[in-house]
PDB file of all heavy atoms in Angstrom:
ATOM      1  N   LYS A 180     -35.624 -82.908 -24.530  1.00 82.00           N
ATOM      2  CA  LYS A 180     -35.658 -81.619 -25.223  1.00 82.00           C
ATOM      3  C   LYS A 180     -34.448 -81.488 -26.146  1.00 82.00           C
ATOM      4  O   LYS A 180     -34.565 -81.069 -27.301  1.00 82.00           O
ATOM      5  CB  LYS A 180     -35.671 -80.482 -24.206  1.00 82.00           C
ATOM      6  CG  LYS A 180     -35.730 -79.101 -24.833  1.00 82.00           C
ATOM      7  CD  LYS A 180     -35.732 -78.015 -23.766  1.00 82.00           C
ATOM      8  CE  LYS A 180     -35.742 -76.625 -24.406  1.00 82.00           C
ATOM      9  NZ  LYS A 180     -35.714 -75.564 -23.366  1.00 82.00           N
ATOM     10  N   GLY A 181     -33.270 -81.868 -25.625  1.00 83.00           N
ATOM     11  CA  GLY A 181     -32.063 -81.833 -26.446  1.00 83.00           C
ATOM     12  C   GLY A 181     -32.132 -82.815 -27.598  1.00 83.00           C
ATOM     13  O   GLY A 181     -31.659 -82.528 -28.700  1.00 83.00           O
ATOM     14  N   LEU A 182     -32.763 -83.973 -27.365  1.00 85.00           N
ATOM     15  CA  LEU A 182     -32.920 -84.978 -28.422  1.00 85.00           C
ATOM     16  C   LEU A 182     -33.781 -84.428 -29.559  1.00 85.00           C
ATOM     17  O   LEU A 182     -33.477 -84.635 -30.738  1.00 85.00           O
ATOM     18  CB  LEU A 182     -33.552 -86.240 -27.847  1.00 85.00           C
ATOM     19  CG  LEU A 182     -33.859 -87.363 -28.842  1.00 85.00           C
ATOM     20  CD1 LEU A 182     -32.568 -87.887 -29.467  1.00 85.00           C
ATOM     21  CD2 LEU A 182     -34.616 -88.493 -28.150  1.00 85.00           C
ATOM     22  N   GLY A 183     -34.850 -83.708 -29.211  1.00 86.00           N
ATOM     23  CA  GLY A 183     -35.703 -83.111 -30.233  1.00 86.00           C
ATOM     24  C   GLY A 183     -34.937 -82.124 -31.097  1.00 86.00           C
ATOM     25  O   GLY A 183     -35.084 -82.111 -32.328  1.00 86.00           O
ATOM     26  N   THR A 184     -34.098 -81.309 -30.456  1.00 84.00           N
ATOM     27  CA  THR A 184     -33.280 -80.349 -31.206  1.00 84.00           C
ATOM     28  C   THR A 184     -32.277 -81.060 -32.096  1.00 84.00           C
ATOM     29  O   THR A 184     -32.059 -80.674 -33.249  1.00 84.00           O
ATOM     30  CB  THR A 184     -32.541 -79.407 -30.242  1.00 84.00           C
ATOM     31  OG1 THR A 184     -33.486 -78.750 -29.390  1.00 84.00           O
ATOM     32  CG2 THR A 184     -31.748 -78.357 -30.999  1.00 84.00           C
ATOM     33  N   THR A 185     -31.670 -82.123 -31.573  1.00 87.00           N
ATOM     34  CA  THR A 185     -30.707 -82.898 -32.350  1.00 87.00           C
ATOM     35  C   THR A 185     -31.365 -83.533 -33.577  1.00 87.00           C
ATOM     36  O   THR A 185     -30.798 -83.534 -34.670  1.00 87.00           O
ATOM     37  CB  THR A 185     -30.066 -83.996 -31.473  1.00 87.00           C
ATOM     38  OG1 THR A 185     -29.269 -83.373 -30.455  1.00 87.00           O
ATOM     39  CG2 THR A 185     -29.173 -84.914 -32.300  1.00 87.00           C
ATOM     40  N   LEU A 186     -32.561 -84.076 -33.400  1.00 89.00           N
ATOM     41  CA  LEU A 186     -33.269 -84.691 -34.529  1.00 89.00           C
ATOM     42  C   LEU A 186     -33.627 -83.648 -35.582  1.00 89.00           C
ATOM     43  O   LEU A 186     -33.451 -83.890 -36.782  1.00 89.00           O
ATOM     44  CB  LEU A 186     -34.540 -85.383 -34.030  1.00 89.00           C
ATOM     45  CG  LEU A 186     -34.331 -86.676 -33.237  1.00 89.00           C
ATOM     46  CD1 LEU A 186     -35.651 -87.162 -32.654  1.00 89.00           C
ATOM     47  CD2 LEU A 186     -33.706 -87.761 -34.102  1.00 89.00           C
ATOM     48  N   LEU A 187     -34.114 -82.483 -35.138  1.00 89.00           N
ATOM     49  CA  LEU A 187     -34.445 -81.413 -36.071  1.00 89.00           C
ATOM     50  C   LEU A 187     -33.213 -80.964 -36.834  1.00 89.00           C
ATOM     51  O   LEU A 187     -33.234 -80.808 -38.064  1.00 89.00           O
ATOM     52  CB  LEU A 187     -35.054 -80.232 -35.314  1.00 89.00           C
ATOM     53  CG  LEU A 187     -35.346 -78.965 -36.136  1.00 89.00           C
ATOM     54  CD1 LEU A 187     -36.354 -79.258 -37.244  1.00 89.00           C
ATOM     55  CD2 LEU A 187     -35.848 -77.849 -35.228  1.00 89.00           C
ATOM     56  N   LEU A 188     -32.127 -80.764 -36.100  1.00 89.00           N
ATOM     57  CA  LEU A 188     -30.869 -80.347 -36.704  1.00 89.00           C
ATOM     58  C   LEU A 188     -30.359 -81.389 -37.690  1.00 89.00           C
ATOM     59  O   LEU A 188     -29.907 -81.057 -38.795  1.00 89.00           O
ATOM     60  CB  LEU A 188     -29.840 -80.108 -35.594  1.00 89.00           C
ATOM     61  CG  LEU A 188     -28.440 -79.653 -35.987  1.00 89.00           C
ATOM     62  CD1 LEU A 188     -28.490 -78.301 -36.681  1.00 89.00           C
ATOM     63  CD2 LEU A 188     -27.557 -79.573 -34.745  1.00 89.00           C
ATOM     64  N   SER A 189     -30.442 -82.656 -37.307  1.00 90.00           N
ATOM     65  CA  SER A 189     -29.947 -83.739 -38.156  1.00 90.00           C
ATOM     66  C   SER A 189     -30.743 -83.851 -39.445  1.00 90.00           C
ATOM     67  O   SER A 189     -30.169 -83.959 -40.536  1.00 90.00           O
ATOM     68  CB  SER A 189     -30.006 -85.070 -37.402  1.00 90.00           C
ATOM     69  OG  SER A 189     -29.200 -85.041 -36.245  1.00 90.00           O
ATOM     70  N   ILE A 190     -32.063 -83.823 -39.338  1.00 92.00           N
ATOM     71  CA  ILE A 190     -32.912 -83.957 -40.529  1.00 92.00           C
ATOM     72  C   ILE A 190     -32.672 -82.809 -41.498  1.00 92.00           C
ATOM     73  O   ILE A 190     -32.506 -83.011 -42.709  1.00 92.00           O
ATOM     74  CB  ILE A 190     -34.394 -84.031 -40.128  1.00 92.00           C
ATOM     75  CG1 ILE A 190     -34.663 -85.333 -39.372  1.00 92.00           C
ATOM     76  CG2 ILE A 190     -35.297 -83.941 -41.350  1.00 92.00           C
ATOM     77  CD1 ILE A 190     -36.032 -85.394 -38.715  1.00 92.00           C
ATOM     78  N   ALA A 191     -32.648 -81.578 -40.954  1.00 94.00           N
ATOM     79  CA  ALA A 191     -32.434 -80.408 -41.816  1.00 94.00           C
ATOM     80  C   ALA A 191     -31.056 -80.443 -42.464  1.00 94.00           C
ATOM     81  O   ALA A 191     -30.907 -80.131 -43.651  1.00 94.00           O
ATOM     82  CB  ALA A 191     -32.595 -79.125 -40.997  1.00 94.00           C
ATOM     83  N   ALA A 192     -30.038 -80.844 -41.692  1.00 93.00           N
ATOM     84  CA  ALA A 192     -28.678 -80.886 -42.232  1.00 93.00           C
ATOM     85  C   ALA A 192     -28.510 -82.019 -43.238  1.00 93.00           C
ATOM     86  O   ALA A 192     -27.750 -81.887 -44.207  1.00 93.00           O
ATOM     87  CB  ALA A 192     -27.669 -81.041 -41.095  1.00 93.00           C
ATOM     88  N   ILE A 193     -29.194 -83.133 -43.035  1.00 94.00           N
ATOM     89  CA  ILE A 193     -29.147 -84.232 -44.005  1.00 94.00           C
ATOM     90  C   ILE A 193     -29.714 -83.774 -45.342  1.00 94.00           C
ATOM     91  O   ILE A 193     -29.132 -84.028 -46.407  1.00 94.00           O
ATOM     92  CB  ILE A 193     -29.916 -85.462 -43.474  1.00 94.00           C
ATOM     93  CG1 ILE A 193     -29.082 -86.183 -42.405  1.00 94.00           C
ATOM     94  CG2 ILE A 193     -30.252 -86.430 -44.612  1.00 94.00           C
ATOM     95  CD1 ILE A 193     -29.825 -87.291 -41.684  1.00 94.00           C
ATOM     96  N   ILE A 194     -30.846 -83.085 -45.292  1.00 95.00           N
ATOM     97  CA  ILE A 194     -31.443 -82.577 -46.537  1.00 95.00           C
ATOM     98  C   ILE A 194     -30.518 -81.554 -47.191  1.00 95.00           C
ATOM     99  O   ILE A 194     -30.236 -81.610 -48.398  1.00 95.00           O
ATOM    100  CB  ILE A 194     -32.820 -81.948 -46.249  1.00 95.00           C
ATOM    101  CG1 ILE A 194     -33.808 -83.017 -45.763  1.00 95.00           C
ATOM    102  CG2 ILE A 194     -33.366 -81.247 -47.499  1.00 95.00           C
ATOM    103  CD1 ILE A 194     -35.124 -82.461 -45.258  1.00 95.00           C
ATOM    104  N   GLY A 195     -30.027 -80.610 -46.382  1.00 95.00           N
ATOM    105  CA  GLY A 195     -29.155 -79.563 -46.926  1.00 95.00           C
ATOM    106  C   GLY A 195     -27.862 -80.106 -47.495  1.00 95.00           C
ATOM    107  O   GLY A 195     -27.422 -79.689 -48.577  1.00 95.00           O
ATOM    108  N   SER A 196     -27.227 -81.030 -46.783  1.00 94.00           N
ATOM    109  CA  SER A 196     -25.956 -81.580 -47.244  1.00 94.00           C
ATOM    110  C   SER A 196     -26.128 -82.452 -48.481  1.00 94.00           C
ATOM    111  O   SER A 196     -25.261 -82.487 -49.354  1.00 94.00           O
ATOM    112  CB  SER A 196     -25.290 -82.385 -46.122  1.00 94.00           C
ATOM    113  OG  SER A 196     -26.092 -83.490 -45.740  1.00 94.00           O
ATOM    114  N   THR A 197     -27.266 -83.151 -48.573  1.00 94.00           N
ATOM    115  CA  THR A 197     -27.524 -83.988 -49.747  1.00 94.00           C
ATOM    116  C   THR A 197     -27.689 -83.131 -50.995  1.00 94.00           C
ATOM    117  O   THR A 197     -27.107 -83.425 -52.048  1.00 94.00           O
ATOM    118  CB  THR A 197     -28.778 -84.847 -49.534  1.00 94.00           C
ATOM    119  OG1 THR A 197     -28.605 -85.665 -48.371  1.00 94.00           O
ATOM    120  CG2 THR A 197     -29.039 -85.740 -50.739  1.00 94.00           C
ATOM    121  N   LEU A 198     -28.457 -82.055 -50.879  1.00 94.00           N
ATOM    122  CA  LEU A 198     -28.643 -81.148 -52.014  1.00 94.00           C
ATOM    123  C   LEU A 198     -27.339 -80.456 -52.385  1.00 94.00           C
ATOM    124  O   LEU A 198     -27.003 -80.329 -53.577  1.00 94.00           O
ATOM    125  CB  LEU A 198     -29.719 -80.110 -51.679  1.00 94.00           C
ATOM    126  CG  LEU A 198     -31.140 -80.660 -51.468  1.00 94.00           C
ATOM    127  CD1 LEU A 198     -32.087 -79.540 -51.033  1.00 94.00           C
ATOM    128  CD2 LEU A 198     -31.645 -81.331 -52.737  1.00 94.00           C
ATOM    129  N   THR A 199     -26.592 -80.025 -51.368  1.00 94.00           N
ATOM    130  CA  THR A 199     -25.305 -79.366 -51.622  1.00 94.00           C
ATOM    131  C   THR A 199     -24.324 -80.330 -52.275  1.00 94.00           C
ATOM    132  O   THR A 199     -23.638 -79.988 -53.245  1.00 94.00           O
ATOM    133  CB  THR A 199     -24.708 -78.834 -50.307  1.00 94.00           C
ATOM    134  OG1 THR A 199     -25.626 -77.929 -49.695  1.00 94.00           O
ATOM    135  CG2 THR A 199     -23.396 -78.101 -50.563  1.00 94.00           C
ATOM    136  N   GLY A 200     -24.263 -81.546 -51.744  1.00 93.00           N
ATOM    137  CA  GLY A 200     -23.344 -82.538 -52.291  1.00 93.00           C
ATOM    138  C   GLY A 200     -23.706 -82.950 -53.700  1.00 93.00           C
ATOM    139  O   GLY A 200     -22.825 -83.127 -54.551  1.00 93.00           O
ATOM    140  N   LEU A 201     -25.005 -83.103 -53.966  1.00 91.00           N
ATOM    141  CA  LEU A 201     -25.436 -83.479 -55.314  1.00 91.00           C
ATOM    142  C   LEU A 201     -25.088 -82.379 -56.317  1.00 91.00           C
ATOM    143  O   LEU A 201     -24.598 -82.668 -57.421  1.00 91.00           O
ATOM    144  CB  LEU A 201     -26.934 -83.740 -55.323  1.00 91.00           C
ATOM    145  CG  LEU A 201     -27.549 -84.140 -56.667  1.00 91.00           C
ATOM    146  CD1 LEU A 201     -26.882 -85.390 -57.219  1.00 91.00           C
ATOM    147  CD2 LEU A 201     -29.054 -84.354 -56.529  1.00 91.00           C
ATOM    148  N   LEU A 202     -25.313 -81.128 -55.933  1.00 92.00           N
ATOM    149  CA  LEU A 202     -24.973 -80.009 -56.815  1.00 92.00           C
ATOM    150  C   LEU A 202     -23.471 -79.971 -57.097  1.00 92.00           C
ATOM    151  O   LEU A 202     -23.047 -79.814 -58.253  1.00 92.00           O
ATOM    152  CB  LEU A 202     -25.415 -78.687 -56.186  1.00 92.00           C
ATOM    153  CG  LEU A 202     -25.033 -77.410 -56.947  1.00 92.00           C
ATOM    154  CD1 LEU A 202     -25.636 -77.415 -58.349  1.00 92.00           C
ATOM    155  CD2 LEU A 202     -25.466 -76.173 -56.166  1.00 92.00           C
ATOM    156  N   ALA A 203     -22.666 -80.150 -56.048  1.00 92.00           N
ATOM    157  CA  ALA A 203     -21.211 -80.139 -56.226  1.00 92.00           C
ATOM    158  C   ALA A 203     -20.753 -81.304 -57.099  1.00 92.00           C
ATOM    159  O   ALA A 203     -19.843 -81.160 -57.924  1.00 92.00           O
ATOM    160  CB  ALA A 203     -20.510 -80.196 -54.867  1.00 92.00           C
ATOM    161  N   ALA A 204     -21.395 -82.464 -56.945  1.00 90.00           N
ATOM    162  CA  ALA A 204     -21.042 -83.630 -57.766  1.00 90.00           C
ATOM    163  C   ALA A 204     -21.395 -83.400 -59.228  1.00 90.00           C
ATOM    164  O   ALA A 204     -20.643 -83.795 -60.129  1.00 90.00           O
ATOM    165  CB  ALA A 204     -21.765 -84.867 -57.238  1.00 90.00           C
ATOM    166  N   ILE A 205     -22.536 -82.763 -59.473  1.00 88.00           N
ATOM    167  CA  ILE A 205     -22.925 -82.449 -60.850  1.00 88.00           C
ATOM    168  C   ILE A 205     -21.903 -81.504 -61.481  1.00 88.00           C
ATOM    169  O   ILE A 205     -21.501 -81.686 -62.642  1.00 88.00           O
ATOM    170  CB  ILE A 205     -24.333 -81.821 -60.873  1.00 88.00           C
ATOM    171  CG1 ILE A 205     -25.380 -82.868 -60.468  1.00 88.00           C
ATOM    172  CG2 ILE A 205     -24.654 -81.267 -62.257  1.00 88.00           C
ATOM    173  CD1 ILE A 205     -26.776 -82.305 -60.289  1.00 88.00           C
ATOM    174  N   LEU A 206     -21.464 -80.520 -60.714  1.00 89.00           N
ATOM    175  CA  LEU A 206     -20.457 -79.587 -61.229  1.00 89.00           C
ATOM    176  C   LEU A 206     -19.128 -80.294 -61.471  1.00 89.00           C
ATOM    177  O   LEU A 206     -18.446 -80.037 -62.469  1.00 89.00           O
ATOM    178  CB  LEU A 206     -20.268 -78.422 -60.256  1.00 89.00           C
ATOM    179  CG  LEU A 206     -21.477 -77.498 -60.055  1.00 89.00           C
ATOM    180  CD1 LEU A 206     -21.149 -76.413 -59.017  1.00 89.00           C
ATOM    181  CD2 LEU A 206     -21.904 -76.855 -61.368  1.00 89.00           C
TER     182      LEU A 206
END
């Protein structure tokens, strides 16, 4: 159960951090 939460958290954070990082790099 904890692994499922970790995977969900990781996938969402990977997407969010990639978009955030790309935007910051463009700026």
Side-chain angles (χ1 to χ4, degrees):
K180 181 180 178 181
L182 177 63
T184 304
T185 294
L186 288 173
L187 175 61
L188 180 62
S189 299
I190 293 170
I193 284 172
I194 295 171
S196 62
T197 302
L198 295 175
T199 302
L201 180 58
L202 176 60
I205 292 173
L206 295 178

